[in-house]
Every structure is written in structure tokens, then in C-alpha cells.
Amino acid sequence: EAQVTQNPRYLITVTGKKLTVTCSQNMNHEYMSWYRQDPGLGLRQIYYSMNVEVTDKGDVPEGYKVSRKEKRNFPLILESPSPNQTSLYFCASSWAGTGRYEQYFGPGTRLTVT
Amino acid sequence: AQSVTQLDSHVSVSEGTPVLLRCNYSSSYSPSLFWYVQHPNKGLQLLLKYTSAATLVKGINGFEAEFKKSETSFHLTKPSAHMSDAAEYFCVGETSGSRLTFGEGTQLTVNP
């Protein structure tokens, strides 16, 4: 089954404790991205990757890191989480790095930072 | 710069009545535009997309949207709402080739 998977689905952590949210897709997509969803703000892009070893900042990259060492994986790293990073996070992938292609979304990761 | 605005944060309709969810965009060119739906505790699913072909786009589950360049609008419609349509809907626009911008979302409630 074609899908985007994220782990964990739910995470409660404390300020400053490094964490990684994994994202994996099995569709051989070149383009992957991370979004955060906050009430009243829609989804905002954090980082995106056009292909392996190619990443770039989205609209809200501060406090986040990413890497793309393999085509299928695109982990999101919070080196020192803060309460304002409490949010719902979505990973997405698509065939290519243009806005013309459908984005396939993962199920989401709900992160709470206390 | 591209931006997308959803004009209603909440829309409430009765089952069997038409649905209209409004979206305006600003762009110096004809962008790619999408509507996605998010059911509770789920990821986002594509409803339909416009990529400069036909201006009237048909999507899944009976939804359609019309691209109107003169009005810079891309409103989502459905002739008859079902209870299963209750969800949050996002209008999305292509920004700069490799990025997307999301509207703030419209919560659709369908009353029996």
C-alpha cells in the first residue's frame, strides 16, 4: 500500500530534550516536506527536500533541522524543543518538487512540549 | 507573492443542501490550486486540483471547484451535503514552483 508513515504519532516531552520524528514514504517520491498545523493558521511549511541531500527552508524553519540521506526518509529533528513547538506535525511527499503535484500526507504527529 | 485566503472559518449546512466554501488567491500568474480535506484525527486528502487546464474541476465525492481568474477565486461546491462531508477543508496554492501555501482552513458542519 502506497503510504507515508510517521513515528511517533503522539509525543509528550520536556523543554530542551532533543527529539526526532521520523517520516518514510514507499512511493519513490523525490519531494518531501514537513508542515506544522496550528489552530487558525492552517498548515505552514517547515522544511522541504527536492531530492536526496537537497533541503531548503520553508516558512517557519526556526528551531528545526532535517536531513535527507535516503530518498524514502526525511526525519524532523528538534534539537532543543520549546513549548511554542507544541503542534500537530505532518510529513508529505510528492513526485516532484513543483506545486503541481498532489501531496501525500502522513497521519500526523501530535507533539506536546512542557 | 502568492497567498491564499479562505473567507469563512466555519460553515454550517443542513444535510441535502448545497455546500459553498470560498477561497481567494493572489498571484501575478495563474497558479496551481488545490482543495484538501482533513477528517478528524486524519491526515489531509486531495479533493481536486486545478493546473491551468479546464477552469471547472471535478473532484472526489461530488465536489467541484471553478477557477475564476477575473475574480481571483477558487470556490469549492457540492450540490448536496452528506453527513460524511463534515471535516476541515483547506485551499492550497502553489507559491514558487516548489512550495505550497495553505489557507487557514474552513470547518464544515453538516446538520441532520
Side-chain angles (χ1 to χ4, degrees):
Chain A
E1 179 190 355
Q3 60 182 350
V4 178
T5 56
Q6 295 178 227
N7 283 293
R9 294 287 314 278
Y10 301 90
L11 179 60
I12 300 174
T13 189
V14 296
T15 299
K17 186 176 181 181
K18 180 179 179 180
L19 66 91
T20 299
V21 184
T22 65
C23 172
S24 182
Q25 50 93 6
N26 62 1
M27 295 168 279
N28 202 35
H29 285 169
E30 292 186 348
Y31 184 88
M32 297 185 74
S33 59
W34 276 102
Y35 299 88
R36 60 177 289 173
Q37 182 178 19
D38 301 291
L41 297 177
L43 274 75
R44 294 176 292 168
Q45 192 174 46
I46 302 171
Y47 269 96
Y48 64 96
S49 170
M50 304 278 280
N51 213 326
V52 175
E53 301 291 2
V54 181
T55 63
D56 209 345
K57 297 177 180 179
D59 297 315
V60 288
E62 294 78 20
Y64 305 94
K65 287 177 57 178
V66 294
S67 68
R68 187 93 180 274
K69 293 183 170 43
E70 305 167 282
K71 198 171 189 177
R72 63 183 294 126
N73 295 324
F74 190 46
L76 179 69
I77 303 158
L78 285 71
E79 296 263 356
S80 182
S82 62
N84 64 12
Q85 293 179 297
T86 293
S87 188
L88 179 59
Y89 291 85
F90 287 101
C91 179
S93 70
S94 66
W95 283 111
T98 79
R100 292 176 175 265
Y101 293 94
E102 174 183 359
Q103 300 280 310
Y104 291 80
F105 285 85
T109 294
R110 187 167 294 281
L111 172 65
T112 301
V113 184
T114 62
Chain B
Q2 163 86 351
S3 70
V4 169
T5 303
Q6 292 182 242
L7 302 179
D8 307 290
S9 59
H10 291 87
V11 169
S12 181
V13 301
S14 297
E15 191 174 19
T17 64
V19 176
L20 170 64
L21 305 183
R22 299 181 295 164
C23 173
N24 285 353
Y25 72 92
S26 66
S27 176
S28 57
Y29 59 96
S30 291
S32 295
L33 293 164
F34 308 79
W35 276 98
Y36 283 83
V37 61
Q38 184 181 28
H39 287 95
N41 301 312
K42 300 284 188 183
L44 280 75
Q45 178 187 18
L46 181 69
L47 274 179
L48 50 83
K49 65 179 179 181
Y50 165 77
T51 55
S52 73
T55 57
L56 182 61
V57 182
K58 294 189 184 299
I60 62 172
N61 300 333
F63 284 94
E64 62 181 39
E66 186 172 7
F67 176 76
K68 291 187 176 180
K69 188 172 183 179
S70 60
E71 299 176 8
T72 62
S73 69
F74 189 58
H75 300 336
L76 181 70
T77 61
K78 183 174 180 178
S80 176
H82 295 161
M83 296 297 291
S84 60
D85 295 328
E88 189 159 21
Y89 293 79
F90 292 95
C91 183
V92 185
E94 174 190 9
T95 302
S96 58
S98 56
R99 291 170 59 179
L100 299 174
T101 185
F102 284 71
E104 300 85 357
T106 298
Q107 186 68 46
L108 175 65
T109 299
V110 182
N111 302 304

